Amino acid sequence: MMNGNPNVPLLVLEQVFAGYGSLTILKGISFKVFPHEIVTLIGSNGAGKTTTLNTISGIVRVRQGLVTFDGHNISSSSPHEIARLGIAHVPEGRRLFPDLTVIENLEMGAFLRRDKEEIRRDIDRMFALFPRLRERANMRAGSLSGGEQQMCAIARGLMARPRILLLDEPSLGLAPKVVAQIFDIIQQINQEGTPVLLVEQNAHMALTIAHRGYVIATGEITLEGTGQQLLGNEMVKKLYLGEL
């Protein structure tokens, strides 16, 4: 069972080094996500945000350091094993199955589950959370708008009934009105009990909804604080919020 103690971190990275081939991207990053939190990771392009999520979900191997989830060392676990533990990763670019319908994509999100009746209930729950998807239920995912595809991708991640949701750039390429809808939904998901680790280029929106945040630069954590503290930080304002 998942540790429900709000004072005990659910996900912990300790001095993690990771990268691709001969290239080291993450250079000893450490941070924590506690149960029921929204934690955001902000930074410039190429800072290591996506690599961090890929390392947690096992796509990129840990070279040095430790990743623990609910007290279990997952540093050398496969993506399949990590998914089974309840870590759902909604990658940048949505990565839907474009030729499958919305419903079929949601069913793919539940591929590790065998409780068919509960799966049907969860599909109904996704349609309540994302009413637009109900209207598009039998349409091919590839024919949806960008915002609808992002909703479908988040819903597919939630179909696994995750114990934590990793979201990579959910606002990318979306109109401001749709971005606001997506962020409202992220808050609702969290209020219903799912912790969220959010990687987001829109630092202002991310910090506005986050309980805590970390700034990553060239593979290292350079700053941390509550969302409000980071919003008020002069360096963050200048480098990431476009304020002088």
Side-chain angles (χ1 to χ4, degrees), residues 143-227:
S143 69
L144 304 180
S145 70
E148 291 164 351
Q149 287 188 18
Q150 188 62 66
M151 292 174 189
C152 189
I154 295 172
R156 184 180 64 181
L158 290 172
M159 284 298 297
R161 287 193 174 175
R163 297 156 75 186
I164 188 169
L165 187 65
L166 313 183
L167 288 176
D168 194 355
E169 302 285 7
S171 78
L172 194 65
L174 302 183
K177 184 178 179 181
V178 180
V179 171
Q181 290 176 336
I182 294 292
F183 275 80
D184 284 346
I185 289 165
I186 292 169
Q187 287 182 284
Q188 186 176 340
I189 290 164
N190 178 249
Q191 287 161 5
E192 291 175 1
T194 302
V196 176
L197 176 57
L198 172 66
V199 158
E200 180 54 59
Q201 196 71 31
N202 187 334
H204 189 273
M205 288 287 285
L207 292 171
T208 298
I209 70 166
H211 298 96
R212 293 186 305 110
Y214 295 86
V215 177
I216 184 170
T218 59
E220 299 178 77
I221 300 295
T222 59
L223 199 61
E224 63 180 278
T226 67

Side-chain angles (χ1 to χ4, degrees), residues 24-242:
T24 300
I25 305 294
L26 304 184
K27 302 166 186 172
I29 69 168
S30 301
F31 66 85
K32 301 173 181 178
V33 180
F34 288 84
H36 312 305
E37 275 192 313
I38 298 175
V39 172
T40 190
L41 198 58
I42 66 169
S44 304
N45 284 333
K49 304 186 301 297
T50 291
T51 301
T52 300
L53 296 193
N54 287 342
T55 301
I56 294 166
S57 58
I59 298 166
V60 173
R61 302 311 295 263
V62 175
R63 294 178 176 175
Q64 188 179 324
L66 192 63
V67 180
T68 56
F69 180 67
D70 196 19
H72 302 286
N73 181 355
I74 61 170
S75 306
S76 57
S77 299
S78 69
H80 190 76
E81 291 167 332
I82 290 168
R84 278 194 179 280
L85 287 173
I87 297 177
H89 184 178
V90 180
E92 182 182 352
R94 297 133 201 175
R95 309 273 179 86
L96 296 173
F97 299 98
D99 293 328
L100 299 184
T101 66
V102 168
I103 283 187
E104 288 167 340
N105 269 276
L106 297 187
E107 289 170 343
M108 290 298 290
F111 76 102
L112 290 173
R113 297 171 53 185
R114 297 292 176 265
D115 47 340
K116 290 186 178 179
E117 279 303 311
E118 290 296 312
I119 288 171
R120 302 315 303 178
R121 286 195 189 95
D122 281 352
I123 288 175
D124 285 339
R125 178 172 161 257
M126 291 306 108
F127 286 159
L129 193 59
F130 303 94
R132 198 68 158 274
L133 294 184
R134 188 190 298 276
E135 300 168 17
R136 307 286 193 269
N138 296 306
M139 291 176 60
R140 288 171 56 252
S143 69
L144 304 180
S145 70
E148 291 164 351
Q149 287 188 18
Q150 188 62 66
M151 292 174 189
C152 189
I154 295 172
R156 184 180 64 181
L158 290 172
M159 284 298 297
R161 287 193 174 175
R163 297 156 75 186
I164 188 169
L165 187 65
L166 313 183
L167 288 176
D168 194 355
E169 302 285 7
S171 78
L172 194 65
L174 302 183
K177 184 178 179 181
V178 180
V179 171
Q181 290 176 336
I182 294 292
F183 275 80
D184 284 346
I185 289 165
I186 292 169
Q187 287 182 284
Q188 186 176 340
I189 290 164
N190 178 249
Q191 287 161 5
E192 291 175 1
T194 302
V196 176
L197 176 57
L198 172 66
V199 158
E200 180 54 59
Q201 196 71 31
N202 187 334
H204 189 273
M205 288 287 285
L207 292 171
T208 298
I209 70 166
H211 298 96
R212 293 186 305 110
Y214 295 86
V215 177
I216 184 170
T218 59
E220 299 178 77
I221 300 295
T222 59
L223 199 61
E224 63 180 278
T226 67
Q228 290 305 308
Q229 285 170 342
L230 292 179
L231 277 173
N233 180 278
E234 292 303 319
M235 186 190 81
V236 172
K237 284 182 180 180
K238 183 178 178 181
L239 295 179
Y240 305 108
L241 303 179

